[in-house]
Amino acid sequence: MERRRGDSYLGKEFSEPAGLPEDVHVAKKIECVDCHQTGPGGMGHIERKATCQECHIEVEEAMARSVHKNLACAACHVKVLGGYEMTSWGPGNIASRSNPFKKYSLYYGPQEPPILIKDQAGRWMPTKIWPNSMGGYKETVTPKQGLTFRWPKGETRDAYAQLGTFSFPGGNNNYLAWIQVEEVAHPLGKSRTCGSCHDSETQIAKVTWHYFDSQGAEPFNGSQKVIAGKKGLHVAHIKATSKISLMEGGKIENFAAWIKLGDIWKTRGDFSIPKSDPLKYRNLERAIKESQQSLLMLDRELKAREAKGEDVKKLRRRWKEAKAAAVHEPEILTETVQSPR
């Protein structure tokens, strides 16, 4: 859940792992409660949903007219994620007492970029995706292809892929396995490029992680890829990239069952980005840059006129609308932005 807690918003030394970027709103001294309403219980009842429209009116209006109107703002403006990259439940100690379902989740690292999927209403959103397994599960669970949203009516937009139960010789059988798919909201920043989505129909996120739980094994590193395409969603090439040294009593089948379970982390479905013409998006990117240069010159002109005491409120409003359209509605760009008079 790190992606929706304060550490992903604050970033830097507060992120997991440390050193990830802070949200662009942090530098502007914007607090969580400035965007997220709270209830009777204060921060304990904070509203998870927030809207960008309260502050970015021109952008929301431009997006509503755009070919990207079914795209969440964070889909473009979140580029890297932190937090869990693997979770295994197995025998261990909790509060110094033996427990059959100790959570080994300290596989922390970055995923870049987020994988875009459609939510319950068909709107594209960015997600964090990672494998989960729980040993010692007594029942047999059959796989269910595709994603299941935890709250079909939209209370949250988190989902999972039910992979079923698995076993292997000497394991803590059975293992219930699933792929966790969670909507992300931070850290917001400068947008991804058009090509990062539209150069290929297949989405690929690169993941590295560092295991540092107090049980199981000494710290070690690993990596994996999240591949989302026309044939399905796949967490692939999971591997340790440094030596695994077991602690006393540590067992691979408890804290790292993924090593024995193998290549099971996949589900069928179409998770591809709609096919587009890469050349078209290269041209749009160039048009956006040219428009931004013109807007920068206009901004300087308006500031100079403001400094002289001129009333340029209407022109400033038009400038904001033009800026929003240039970036968020590029498909209708037909001419260079002209100087407001």
Side-chain angles (χ1 to χ4, degrees), residues 127-185:
T127 61
K128 173 72 180 294
I129 295 172
W130 74 98
N132 291 253
S133 65
M134 183 177 68
Y137 198 77
K138 302 305 179 184
E139 299 179 9
T140 299
V141 176
T142 57
K144 182 179 179 181
Q145 297 302 326
L147 296 184
T148 299
F149 283 92
R150 295 185 181 278
W151 299 91
K153 294 182 179 180
E155 292 90 335
T156 76
R157 299 196 288 178
D158 299 335
Y160 63 91
Q162 179 178 305
L163 306 182
T165 44
F166 301 83
S167 62
F168 54 82
N172 181 28
N173 301 320
N174 289 329
Y175 289 87
L176 176 64
W178 70 98
I179 300 173
Q180 188 77 4
V181 179
E182 288 195 355
E183 177 192 10
V184 298

Side-chain angles (χ1 to χ4, degrees), residues 30-272:
I30 296 175
E31 305 290 344
C32 301
V33 293
D34 291 329
C35 297
H36 296 274
Q37 299 296 315
T38 57
M43 291 295 286
H45 288 170
I46 194 167
E47 176 63 48
R48 295 172 71 180
K49 296 180 180 179
T51 175
C52 301
Q53 189 173 4
E54 294 294 327
C55 297
H56 303 284
I57 300 172
E58 296 86 1
V59 172
E60 290 280 358
E61 290 175 347
M63 282 292 290
R65 300 187 297 266
S66 170
V67 69
H68 293 110
K69 61 185 177 182
N70 286 326
L71 201 69
C73 297
C76 290
H77 288 279
V78 175
K79 296 190 288 187
V80 61
L81 311 170
Y84 305 154
E85 300 297 353
M86 190 88 64
T87 306
S88 295
W89 278 264
N93 293 320
I94 300 177
S96 300
R97 301 182 66 177
S98 178
N99 191 297
F101 299 112
K102 145 77 176 163
K103 183 180 180 181
Y104 297 93
S105 59
L106 298 185
Y107 289 84
Y108 276 170
Q111 173 191 312
E112 187 174 6
I115 296 294
L116 304 185
I117 69 166
K118 289 184 178 180
D119 68 7
Q120 301 95 314
R123 193 180 191 208
W124 290 92
M125 65 175 183
T127 61
K128 173 72 180 294
I129 295 172
W130 74 98
N132 291 253
S133 65
M134 183 177 68
Y137 198 77
K138 302 305 179 184
E139 299 179 9
T140 299
V141 176
T142 57
K144 182 179 179 181
Q145 297 302 326
L147 296 184
T148 299
F149 283 92
R150 295 185 181 278
W151 299 91
K153 294 182 179 180
E155 292 90 335
T156 76
R157 299 196 288 178
D158 299 335
Y160 63 91
Q162 179 178 305
L163 306 182
T165 44
F166 301 83
S167 62
F168 54 82
N172 181 28
N173 301 320
N174 289 329
Y175 289 87
L176 176 64
W178 70 98
I179 300 173
Q180 188 77 4
V181 179
E182 288 195 355
E183 177 192 10
V184 298
H186 300 294
L188 294 164
K190 288 187 176 181
S191 175
R192 297 167 60 168
T193 64
C194 300
S196 70
C197 287
H198 293 293
D199 280 353
S200 173
E201 293 179 274
T202 300
Q203 305 179 71
I204 299 177
K206 296 181 179 180
V207 180
T208 58
W209 45 258
H210 178 66
Y211 176 86
F212 59 103
D213 201 291
S214 61
Q215 300 175 49
E218 300 294 338
F220 65 97
N221 301 322
S223 65
Q224 61 214 38
K225 287 184 178 180
V226 183
I227 303 170
K230 276 191 170 296
K231 294 183 178 180
L233 178 66
H234 188 190
V235 183
H237 311 301
I238 306 174
K239 61 182 178 181
T241 56
S242 65
K243 182 180 178 181
I244 300 178
S245 299
L246 296 179
M247 293 179 176
E248 183 178 353
K251 295 182 178 180
I252 291 290
E253 57 266 29
N254 294 340
F255 72 89
W258 50 271
I259 293 177
K260 300 290 185 70
L261 289 170
D263 189 27
I264 66 168
W265 313 99
K266 61 185 80 172
T267 191
R268 292 196 297 270
D270 187 354
F271 295 88
S272 63

